[in-house]
Amino acid sequence: MRRILPLMRRLLSAVRRLFPFSHAVLRLIQILTALKQFVQDYFGPPGKVPRVSTGSSEFPGLSSTVSNPDIQSAPTPYHCITSSLPTRHHGPQQEMVQVSQEPITPEVTLPAVPEPFAPGWFERYEHRRPVERKPNKDKIKAGQTSFLEKVPDHWERVVHPEGARYYFNANKNVFTDAGITELGDLSAVDACIQFLRERESQLVSSNDVRSRPTQLVIQLTDSEQWVYYFVDHDARVVFWVEDFDLEGLIPSNILGVTEDSHIVYAIEVQYWQHCELYPNSIPLLQEHITEMWGAMSFAYIDNVTSIAPLSPLNQNELAKILSLMPYLQARVPAADIYAIWILARAMRILARAKLYHFYGQPGARLEADMSVYSPEGDHKDGGQPIAFFCDFCFFFALSSHIQALKSIWVDENINYAQWSKFSTKLTAEWNGFAIYSTVMLAVDISFLSVPSVNKGNVNSQSVAIVATYMSLLCVVGSLVSSVLLSGKITAMETSAEVAMFMQKMTHWKGGIFVLGIICSLPFALVLWSMVFFALALVYTIFQSTDTASLGIMTCGTVMVSFALSLPVWWGRDYGSFPEWLLVLNSRSQQTTGQQESV
């Protein structure tokens, strides 16, 4: 039949001029051909059931027939708010209707099965399309009053508060960043939506649960692959119609996440990320404001009253966020995408902190410097003798900085609020050491100009001259290290940059020890410059042969050295008094008590 009809059509066309009735016969054959194609499209080839052409058997039994895009089989959508920015609606905003059980044309085949992805994986900032450097439009049509982009029926163009463009279909309750206007033929989009909605319906039916309104987000990757996720606003979760690899939602530095009550915070982070990407997806409710207001107020008081607060935000940041609460309160229940974006960004930060701190778990972190893991795998920073020797050479500043760094970098997680305090303190100290170094530089140069010190013997330098040179080297080292470290620490402005730096420095054993040495360099070098200058000064003084002068200077040197050892050991929170000094103090108190009792 397939070969006969084309042959007859060509034959009748050739003899059309010879037989007057040939035109009518040819028209009849065309009608029969169209009727044959309609029967095949409607009922399918005999003995063959049409299926989705996906190249994969992951979803067997799904028909490739996709219903009319204007008719939706998904549950009743969550009542989304409309963007407050200038948008244009195309088509009536009607209620969803049930899909008819009868076959609906036309057939559309999916090129590939949509793959699951998470809201946090979407790189909207990296997928901007560069603007071509071409001449601007030079004219506006007479009487033109509308400057809105034309979009297909039932789709709405929405502009994010940051300026990104995305599209929302209220009939199907679908969001996408794919260029709907550039795609032209939306059959692939409709097929993808219908395929996922059918899979959702099957999932609900197989689990025997109540169907709830959901939203669907689809994206088109650079490799022309459709990806998706569903959103349930009632439960504040995102979900998929197939098993999803949890590894992509939990950072690699967090181990031991096994309970569903803990995993839910990783899902909540993705949920608020979705609301941040599409702020017209939910209305602003009073319960949102109450929860955010309470959480931010708690974090602020915790910052004020606690030594090691858990909040990732500092006092100034929390105070600024709390100052916005009256605005958010006033916008309830208005359709304000700006208010929703503010809410989503703040709630995402809080949900992420709950995930990191094992919120609600038996081993929850209750202070910022507390580890949630057992100390079995911990190791000390080098051997005890070497660590003590290095700490002594750095005037016990090394142990102080190591302790501070360990309280900031806990379980490979940076507490940015504590880091901000630490970096501010370090920067102030290094600036002060730079001033001390400048003063010592002038003192050393002045000391070298003294005739009794520098006698002009080039071949044989005195101990005083050599010690002064060493003092100058330490001064220069302190100045250079202060400048370099100040520039490095001020360049890290975000928590991600700080975390990357700490990860790079501490990924090998002893890294935190080396980082403590780096932070202690300006302090140790300026003190060593003072020690070498004191050595040069003492050597010059003790060149005197006068016995009385030697006795007086010896006593003075011993007393000053002992007095200076106390602040070096204890005055900067580097530790406690030496044990031998505490023993002498206790013995003296016991002797005094015995004398009083006698």
Side-chain angles (χ1 to χ4, degrees):
M1 184 66 179
R2 294 180 180 177
R3 296 179 179 180
I4 296 177
L5 289 177
L7 182 61
M8 293 181 62
R9 187 186 302 109
R10 287 194 294 267
L11 180 62
L12 291 176
S13 298
V15 297
R16 181 177 178 182
R17 297 180 180 179
L18 300 177
F19 300 92
F21 60 90
S22 62
H23 179 71
V25 175
L26 179 62
R27 186 62 178 169
L28 179 61
I29 293 176
Q30 292 177 349
I31 293 174
L32 293 175
T33 304
L35 182 61
K36 169 180 172 292
Q37 184 66 32
F38 172 78
V39 172
Q40 289 183 353
D41 291 343
Y42 193 86
F43 296 102
K48 183 178 179 181
V49 179
R51 298 175 63 90
V52 178
S53 177
T54 62
S56 172
S57 60
E58 185 174 4
F59 300 122
L62 270 179
S63 172
S64 63
T65 303
V66 178
S67 61
N68 191 320
D70 293 339
I71 302 179
Q72 177 66 15
S73 64
T76 305
Y78 195 95
H79 294 286
C80 300
I81 63 173
T82 304
S83 170
S84 60
L85 297 177
T87 56
R88 184 174 183 177
H89 296 274
H90 295 267
Q93 303 296 325
Q94 59 187 2
E95 295 293 332
M96 300 297 103
V97 297
Q98 297 295 328
V99 178
S100 175
Q101 299 298 324
E102 299 178 358
I104 300 177
T105 57
E107 291 183 351
V108 179
T109 58
L110 277 172
V113 174
E115 297 180 355
F117 89 118
W121 299 357
F122 181 55
E123 299 177 347
R124 174 179 283 174
Y125 296 93
E126 288 75 13
H127 282 76
R128 296 185 305 107
R129 185 172 58 186
V131 179
E132 298 180 4
R133 298 180 180 272
K134 58 183 180 181
N136 300 328
K137 187 176 180 179
D138 55 355
K139 292 182 180 180
I140 299 177
K141 295 181 179 179
Q144 181 177 356
T145 59
S146 175
F147 299 88
L148 302 177
E149 179 184 7
K150 294 182 179 180
V151 295
D153 292 342
H154 306 294
W155 286 94
E156 174 190 353
R157 177 179 181 270
V158 185
V159 179
H160 193 273
E162 292 179 330
R165 178 199 64 177
Y166 63 91
Y167 297 93
F168 170 59
N169 190 317
N171 283 2
K172 300 177 181 292
N173 216 7
V174 176
F175 293 88
T176 184
D177 279 67
I180 296 297
T181 56
E182 290 86 358
L183 290 177
D185 184 13
L186 299 183
S187 58
V189 178
D190 297 329
C192 179
I193 296 172
Q194 181 65 23
F195 176 81
L196 293 171
R197 287 299 188 184
E198 289 178 356
R199 284 291 297 156
E200 181 192 13
S201 300
Q202 293 177 8
L203 186 66
V204 172
S205 300
S206 61
N207 293 337
D208 194 19
V209 296
R210 182 180 62 87
S211 175
R212 293 193 298 192
T214 60
Q215 292 178 349
L216 173 62
V217 178
I218 58 174
Q219 305 291 359
L220 187 61
T221 63
D222 296 335
S223 58
E224 302 298 325
Q225 170 66 48
W226 286 101
V227 292
Y228 77 96
Y229 65 86
F230 288 90
V231 183
D232 186 345
H233 288 286
D234 293 336
R236 289 190 186 180
V237 296
V238 297
F239 66 96
W240 303 266
V241 294
E242 57 190 285
D243 292 345
F244 187 80
D245 188 3
L246 190 60
E247 184 180 357
L249 300 184
I250 300 179
S252 59
N253 59 337
I254 302 181
L255 302 176
V257 182
T258 58
E259 301 295 331
D260 289 343
S261 58
H262 190 195
I263 297 174
V264 69
Y265 295 114
I267 302 298
E268 187 177 350
V269 171
Q270 300 301 320
Y271 168 77
W272 289 115
Q273 180 75 59
H274 162 78
C275 296
E276 191 176 335
L277 290 172
Y278 306 101
N280 70 321
S281 59
I282 56 172
L284 185 62
L285 303 178
Q286 181 59 44
E287 61 185 58
H288 296 150
I289 304 302
T290 303
E291 181 178 357
M292 177 181 171
W293 206 332
M296 291 298 174
S297 300
F298 167 79
Y300 181 80
I301 297 299
D302 190 36
N303 267 271
V304 173
T305 58
S306 177
I307 299 176
L310 292 172
S311 173
L313 304 173
N314 57 35
Q315 295 183 26
N316 293 332
E317 294 169 339
L318 289 169
K320 292 177 180 178
I321 293 176
L322 287 172
S323 66
L324 297 175
M325 298 310 300
Y327 160 73
L328 299 180
Q329 182 70 34
R331 302 307 298 168
V332 175
D336 193 336
I337 62 174
Y338 302 100
I340 290 294
W341 185 89
I342 294 172
L343 169 74
R345 173 65 63 89
M347 296 301 290
R348 179 171 64 88
I349 294 175
L350 295 177
R352 186 175 57 187
K354 292 179 180 179
L355 173 65
Y356 273 93
H357 299 321
F358 284 71
Y359 186 84
Q361 303 305 306
R365 182 182 290 111
L366 304 180
E367 292 182 347
D369 55 355
M370 177 188 299
S371 175
V372 298
Y373 303 108
S374 59
E376 296 177 358
D378 297 345
H379 59 269
K380 296 182 179 180
D381 303 303
Q384 285 296 324
I386 298 177
F388 181 80
F389 176 75
C390 293
D391 197 20
F392 178 79
C393 293
F394 280 81
F395 301 94
F396 302 98
L398 177 58
S399 58
S400 174
H401 285 116
I402 290 177
Q403 183 179 0
L405 289 169
K406 286 184 176 180
S407 65
I408 296 171
W409 183 248
V410 181
D411 298 335
E412 297 186 5
N413 175 31
I414 190 71
N415 189 314
Y416 190 68
Q418 298 299 317
W419 168 264
S420 300
K421 296 180 182 178
F422 178 70
S423 62
T424 302
K425 179 182 177 181
L426 278 182
T427 304
E429 288 183 354
W430 292 338
N431 293 335
F433 297 150
I435 298 175
Y436 299 150
S437 300
T438 305
V439 173
M440 285 302 304
L441 183 64
V443 170
D444 289 338
I445 294 175
S446 301
F447 186 75
L448 289 174
S449 63
V450 176
S452 60
V453 175
N454 191 359
K455 297 180 180 180
N457 189 357
V458 179
N459 296 327
S460 178
Q461 299 288 348
S462 65
V463 175
I465 297 297
V466 174
T468 306
Y469 288 160
M470 289 299 299
S471 178
L472 284 172
L473 288 177
C474 292
V475 165
V476 174
S478 179
L479 279 173
V480 173
S481 60
S482 297
V483 173
L484 293 179
L485 292 175
S486 297
K488 179 64 177 178
I489 202 170
T490 54
M492 294 182 291
E493 298 180 351
T494 64
S495 59
E497 293 175 346
V498 176
M500 186 179 300
F501 169 75
M502 293 295 295
Q503 182 68 31
K504 182 173 63 176
M505 291 297 300
T506 61
H507 75 282
W508 53 282
K509 184 177 180 180
I512 198 77
F513 186 77
V514 175
L515 189 57
I517 291 177
I518 295 174
C519 294
S520 306
L521 272 178
F523 171 76
L525 288 176
V526 74
L527 277 187
W528 275 114
S529 69
M530 295 179 182
V531 170
F532 283 117
F533 174 76
L535 177 62
L537 180 63
V538 169
Y539 177 81
T540 303
I541 292 175
F542 278 90
Q543 285 181 338
S544 176
T545 58
D546 187 4
T547 305
S549 299
L550 289 176
I552 295 174
M553 293 306 302
T554 300
C555 294
T557 302
V558 172
M559 293 177 61
V560 172
S561 299
F562 176 76
L564 289 177
S565 65
L566 298 181
V568 170
W569 191 286
W570 177 76
R572 291 172 54 84
D573 296 333
Y574 297 146
S576 58
F577 281 107
E579 293 182 1
W580 60 268
L581 185 60
L582 297 177
V583 171
L584 290 178
N585 184 33
S586 63
R587 289 181 178 178
S588 63
Q589 290 180 357
Q590 292 177 1
T591 304
T592 304
Q594 292 177 0
Q595 291 177 356
E596 291 178 354
S597 63
V598 173

